[in-house]
Amino acid sequence: MSKLVIAEKPMLARDIARAITGKEVSESARLPISGNGYTVCACSGHLLELVKPDAIDQKWGMPWSLDVLPIEVHDWPKEPAVDKKTGESKKPLIDQIAGLLETCDSVIAAGDPDDEGQLIVDELLDYLGYAGKVERVYVNDNIEKNIVKAFDKLVPNDSCRGAGNAAYARQMADMCFGVNETRLATKRLGGLFSVGRVQTPTLGLVVNRDEAIENHVTRKYYELTATGGCADASGAPVFKFKPDKDMLAGEKHVFDRDVLDVIKAKLDGSGMSFSTVISKKVENPPLPYNLTVLLSDMSRRYGFSASKTQQITQDLRDKYKAITYNRSDSQYLKEEHFAQAPVVLAQAMENVGATWPLDYSIHSKAFNEKNVTAHHGIIPQEVSAPVADMTGDEAKVYTAIVERYAMQFLPPATYDVSTSAFAVDGGEFQAVARRVREAGFKAVFGNVSDEDGDDAASGNPWIDEGDHRLERIECAVTEKETAPPKPYTEGTLIADMASIAKYVTDPEVKAILKQKDDGKKGEHGGIGTTATRASIIEKLKERGYLEDVKGKIRSTEKARAFYHLLPPEIRGADVTARWWLIQQDIAEGNADVNALQQSVIEVFNGHRETAYVGANIAPKATVVGKCPLCGADVVQRKSKSGKPFYTCSSNKSEKQEDGTWKQVAGCGFKLLGWCGKTFTPKQVASLLEGKAVPLKGCKSKTTGKTFDCKAKLKKDGTIEPMFDSKPKGKYNKARR
């Protein structure tokens, strides 16, 4: 009897082979691996992808037509996928597994223990027409004894297929949604306008934030403080006034200074009795990273983009085998990790060149198996991976992961907090002081930000518990201004994608989003997954919706105009909520796998005839001067790569059936650059005015040598170089 184990990825396959085949298996061992009656092979993520619409029906191809919408394909067929990084087909791997199926007696599906993991193996077996016995194994981590235990608990795969069906339904619905909504918007508005279930509400987060910033109306508000002499304190405590609900009247601040002036007038020069209570604050170390928290933290600390950090974590796994599964949505760990921590962290500390006073008897709240989902938190592996062998950025991310794990074996930081208070009409005055009892993990890792985010309390003198008196009170009213929200960084945007429910006003939708993430610690009603959020942001950048402005993520003019034209029923997070409910029915066998796609079609048909009608999104072009050929305005545009170029506004082009563009009108004047130099708008304006523009570091395409010159625009629209002395090398005589 031979059993074929099909893992989701090669790394998992090697871990499984190491545990069950009885063989020594290196991290680079060639698959498949056989032993003890098992043959272990691996997929490479999804080996299949949905067939493109035009491959199903030619009328769905280019040029796009509104007449053929909506596009709907029940039981959408699949074909061998193409690796997005290499561009190579995954068919050879499919053929290899097909050959192994012919020689095995049964199959054990070892996809990740989630919907996608179920689908990855199910869709392959269905595509290959396998009709033999299939069992399912759930492997949550790479610890050998846990893998062995998992293989003792195999279940019939048929009882698990509902999860894969739900994932397949989402695949079809995402394709159906994107194809129909994108084509409808593109044909009605002109130009490509991409719509997606996750990317569109993500765009909405940024658009709404940017508009809140721009539309913010500064308001003056007022704060009241009181200070005075206290015989029981080493200095003068400062009491802050905390208005009650009636005074705030639903606002966050007091905007009427007069009410505070009344309180000030009553207190100035007087004395007040106050009471002080002492409490203890315990600040536990932060949990190990999941991917969402790691992306946010690396953005905050180092300004790394989400895609950069995610790629670094992949390299830490693939190149160095230094960390556990990097796309985890969990921050919790298993008891086995607790037992192995002394060995794992000893190696990790050697890797980063550190020695920390860790106490392996401390059992932090991170070690909670009930909170481990399909994966566990991201922690280091027991492998020699010195940071000296890594790039600087790889070392930063790896070290951060090691430190977060090491913190679990340090005591919490503890503080004594002294809170003094006295009541007045309209609220209460409070003075808070804090002193460190035990620095705990913060004594070792001082780079951890304070959970409260405000350490102002430490400026007050300590006051012991009991009754005291404040004499010779002096009050001060301070004028402040409301501030707009802060622009998104990639880190804060990722965090809000994971908790978008907080921005949803519909209570039913909010509840569904939170229910969807029930049991997923770190997810609070989100859209997308830990594995896809970084790529969603990158796609929005590539499509001209988002841009990075000095480390801040901002929406473009095109994005804002388009977002406000989107039908309300498809632009928010409620799309994910509605879909999740249907997916649950599919997973439980109460709905057909095509039910979700049918729901997408119903929503689409509801706005097919009305969406975008009469609307036009024409980007406002920046005029830089007059055309030397025809006198029309010369405007600035951007190429697909984002580089600026300049063209006469009389020029018109049409897209051809083969995807190329053909000029159909205009004088043809364009200014793309010259000898490796991209012109700035100011330089082009000078050129169009007939002025000579100094250029440094020009590069000859003929010789490859660099040179300096002055450039002037000739009447025929070509660039003429001017030299103070004869150049050493030939310059490129290209016109533009």
Side-chain angles (χ1 to χ4, degrees):
M1 293 286 289
S2 65
K3 296 184 177 183
L4 179 64
V5 181
I6 305 177
E8 182 168 327
K9 298 180 184 71
M11 183 172 288
L12 176 61
R14 295 186 184 100
D15 289 336
I16 290 174
R18 198 173 291 117
I20 67 173
T21 63
K23 292 187 175 180
E24 294 288 332
V25 178
S26 71
E27 294 293 347
S28 59
R30 188 181 182 88
L31 296 170
I33 299 169
S34 299
N36 286 340
Y38 295 100
T39 296
V40 184
C41 66
C43 301
S44 178
H46 282 283
L47 296 183
L48 299 164
E49 61 188 11
L50 298 179
V51 173
K52 299 293 186 292
D54 59 335
I56 298 173
D57 193 323
Q58 288 185 351
K59 70 182 181 184
W60 291 338
M62 296 291 289
W64 290 348
S65 170
L66 290 177
D67 296 335
V68 301
L69 301 183
I71 294 171
E72 181 180 11
V73 183
H74 281 204
D75 302 321
W76 206 302
K78 295 188 175 184
E79 62 185 357
V82 174
D83 190 295
K84 293 180 181 178
K85 290 184 179 179
T86 65
E88 297 178 356
S89 172
K90 295 186 179 182
K91 189 175 186 304
L93 183 51
I94 295 173
D95 293 340
Q96 180 194 68
I97 296 174
L100 295 172
L101 286 172
E102 293 178 359
T103 64
C104 73
D105 297 308
S106 65
V107 168
I108 299 175
D112 285 351
D114 54 23
D115 290 3
E116 290 298 324
Q118 183 68 41
L119 177 61
I120 283 171
V121 180
D122 284 351
E123 66 183 0
L124 177 63
L125 296 177
D126 291 344
Y127 179 78
L128 295 175
Y130 182 75
K133 180 181 178 182
V134 183
E135 295 171 291
R136 180 72 160 104
V137 65
Y138 291 103
V139 177
N140 281 297
D141 58 41
N142 62 338
I143 297 172
E144 287 187 33
K145 66 178 182 179
N146 285 347
I147 294 175
V148 173
K149 288 179 182 178
F151 272 79
D152 289 335
K153 300 176 182 178
L154 301 179
V155 296
N157 190 62
D158 285 345
S159 67
C160 311
R161 286 189 65 108
N165 290 339
Y168 177 39
R170 184 175 58 244
Q171 274 188 347
M172 292 191 290
D174 274 329
M175 173 71 87
C176 178
F177 183 86
V179 164
N180 287 297
E181 297 294 355
T182 295
R183 295 186 184 200
L184 180 64
T186 297
K187 293 298 293 181
R188 291 258 168 86
L189 296 173
L192 179 62
F193 289 92
S194 177
V195 185
R197 173 179 60 92
V198 178
Q199 75 169 34
T200 299
T202 300
L203 176 62
L205 286 172
V206 185
V207 169
N208 291 332
R209 175 65 59 87
D210 285 347
E211 291 181 345
I213 293 170
E214 291 177 7
N215 298 327
H216 175 73
V217 177
T218 300
R219 299 174 65 189
K220 293 180 180 179
Y221 69 94
Y222 304 91
E223 292 182 347
L224 177 63
T225 58
T227 188
C230 179
D232 302 323
S234 60
V238 177
F239 286 75
K240 291 184 177 181
F241 178 61
K242 306 289 184 182
D244 59 23
K245 290 183 179 179
D246 289 339
M247 181 175 287
L248 287 172
E251 300 278 7
K252 292 183 178 180
H253 305 289
V254 175
F255 295 98
D256 181 1
R257 175 172 182 148
D258 291 344
V259 297
L260 299 184
D261 282 336
V262 170
I263 298 173
K264 170 178 163 58
K266 290 181 179 179
L267 288 180
D268 276 345
S270 69
M272 292 289 292
S273 296
F274 65 88
S275 297
T276 302
V277 295
I278 305 298
S279 60
K280 180 181 178 182
K281 178 189 174 185
V282 177
E283 184 180 350
N284 290 306
L287 293 170
Y289 289 117
N290 64 14
L291 183 58
T292 297
V293 177
L294 178 61
L295 297 180
S296 297
D297 203 33
M298 294 302 97
S299 172
R300 176 185 65 83
R301 290 171 62 178
Y302 304 118
F304 290 173
S305 69
S307 59
K308 176 177 181 175
T309 298
Q310 189 158 318
Q311 184 56 53
I312 288 174
T313 63
Q314 196 64 48
D315 291 340
L316 289 174
R317 274 181 64 76
D318 295 343
K319 287 166 57 178
Y320 307 104
K321 317 300 178 187
I323 61 172
T324 57
Y325 182 69
N326 59 312
R327 298 188 176 192
S328 174
D329 61 359
S330 173
Q331 291 185 264
Y332 290 86
L333 303 166
K334 291 197 164 193
E335 288 300 322
E336 286 80 1
H337 296 115
F338 178 75
Q340 293 187 347
V343 176
V344 171
L345 278 168
Q347 179 64 66
M349 285 191 286
E350 182 180 330
N351 292 342
V352 300
T355 303
W356 300 310
L358 306 184
D359 180 353
Y360 294 109
S361 68
I362 295 175
H363 192 281
S364 90
K365 63 180 181 179
F367 299 100
N368 187 334
E369 300 203 17
K370 293 180 181 179
N371 289 335
V372 174
T373 54
H375 304 287
H376 55 72
I378 304 172
I379 60 174
Q381 298 258 50
E382 184 194 345
V383 62
S384 177
V387 296
D389 296 340
M390 302 177 183
T391 67
D393 290 343
E394 287 172 345
K396 287 177 181 177
V397 176
Y398 176 68
T399 301
I401 291 170
V402 173
E403 288 178 348
R404 282 289 277 254
Y405 189 35
M407 288 178 201
Q408 309 312 308
F409 299 96
L410 289 169
T414 59
Y415 310 90
D416 290 325
V417 181
S418 167
T419 304
S420 304
F422 62 88
V424 297
D425 288 341
E428 180 181 73
F429 280 88
Q430 282 188 4
V432 180
R434 189 175 78 167
R435 63 186 181 189
V436 176
R437 179 181 289 188
E438 295 287 344
F441 71 97
K442 286 193 170 184
V444 179
F445 299 105
N447 59 348
V448 180
S449 60
D450 195 315
E451 285 184 348
D452 293 339
D454 180 11
D455 210 16
S458 62
N460 261 329
W462 182 261
I463 303 176
D464 289 328
E465 191 165 44
D467 295 328
H468 309 278
R469 189 160 179 84
L470 190 67
E471 301 289 359
R472 303 177 303 282
I473 294 176
E474 293 182 10
C475 292
V477 177
T478 305
E479 181 183 288
K480 295 187 176 182
E481 291 184 344
T482 56
K486 293 181 180 179
Y488 276 116
T489 63
E490 288 209 15
T492 56
L493 180 56
I494 287 277
D496 268 4
M497 290 174 73
S499 57
I500 198 171
K502 66 186 178 184
Y503 298 108
V504 175
T505 55
D506 186 318
E508 182 179 359
V509 173
K510 184 190 289 281
I512 294 170
L513 286 170
K514 289 188 174 182
Q515 182 185 355
K516 173 182 68 71
D517 289 341
D518 186 37
K520 296 181 182 178
K521 301 294 182 178
E523 299 284 322
H524 308 285
I527 51 172
T529 66
T530 53
T532 62
R533 287 172 185 143
S535 64
I536 290 292
I537 295 174
E538 287 303 307
K539 285 179 182 177
L540 287 168
K541 289 181 185 176
E542 292 168 4
R543 291 165 181 170
Y545 291 146
L546 299 182
E547 55 188 356
D548 193 315
V549 182
K550 296 181 179 179
K552 308 297 183 184
I553 301 299
R554 310 306 293 259
S555 56
T556 62
E557 184 180 337
K558 167 188 172 181
R560 298 185 202 187
F562 178 48
Y563 182 74
H564 291 300
L565 288 174
L566 283 161
E569 61 269 23
I570 67 166
R571 72 184 182 194
D574 52 332
V575 175
T576 292
R578 292 197 309 267
W579 286 23
W580 182 76
L581 290 177
I582 299 172
Q583 282 181 262
Q584 291 302 103
D585 286 339
I586 294 170
E588 294 167 5
N590 298 323
D592 180 78
V593 73
N594 295 294
L596 185 53
Q597 187 179 186
Q598 290 167 356
S599 173
V600 172
I601 295 298
E602 288 175 9
V603 173
F604 175 80
N605 284 334
H607 57 250
R608 182 189 182 281
E609 302 300 328
T610 57
Y612 319 109
V613 172
N616 180 38
I617 300 180
K620 295 178 182 178
T622 302
V623 177
V624 292
K626 295 296 182 181
C627 178
L629 302 185
C630 71
D633 288 339
V634 174
V635 295
Q636 179 183 349
R637 304 286 191 198
K638 279 189 177 181
S639 66
K640 286 185 178 179
S641 64
K643 290 185 177 181
F645 69 93
Y646 308 87
T647 180
C648 180
S649 57
S650 69
N651 295 334
K652 305 293 180 186
S653 298
E654 286 184 357
K655 193 171 185 178
Q656 307 300 297
E657 289 191 7
D658 62 359
T660 61
W661 290 83
K662 179 181 179 182
Q663 183 173 321
V664 295
C667 69
F669 174 75
K670 290 181 182 178
L671 198 57
L672 306 179
W674 188 77
C675 287
K677 300 297 290 184
T678 300
F679 295 117
T680 66
K682 187 175 180 180
Q683 289 175 322
V684 174
S686 295
L687 288 170
L688 294 173
E689 291 173 359
K691 298 176 181 178
V693 175
L695 297 177
K696 291 186 177 182
C698 302
K699 188 174 184 179
S700 170
K701 290 184 179 179
T702 305
T703 66
K705 295 182 179 180
T706 58
F707 60 91
D708 300 339
C709 70
K710 289 183 179 179
K712 194 170 183 179
L713 195 64
K714 297 168 67 176
K715 290 183 179 180
D716 64 358
T718 61
I719 293 291
E720 179 183 16
M722 302 167 62
F723 299 96
D724 294 330
S725 60
K726 188 176 180 180
K728 295 180 179 179
K730 294 181 179 180
Y731 64 85
N732 186 294
K733 294 185 178 181
R735 287 181 58 185
R736 304 174 184 116

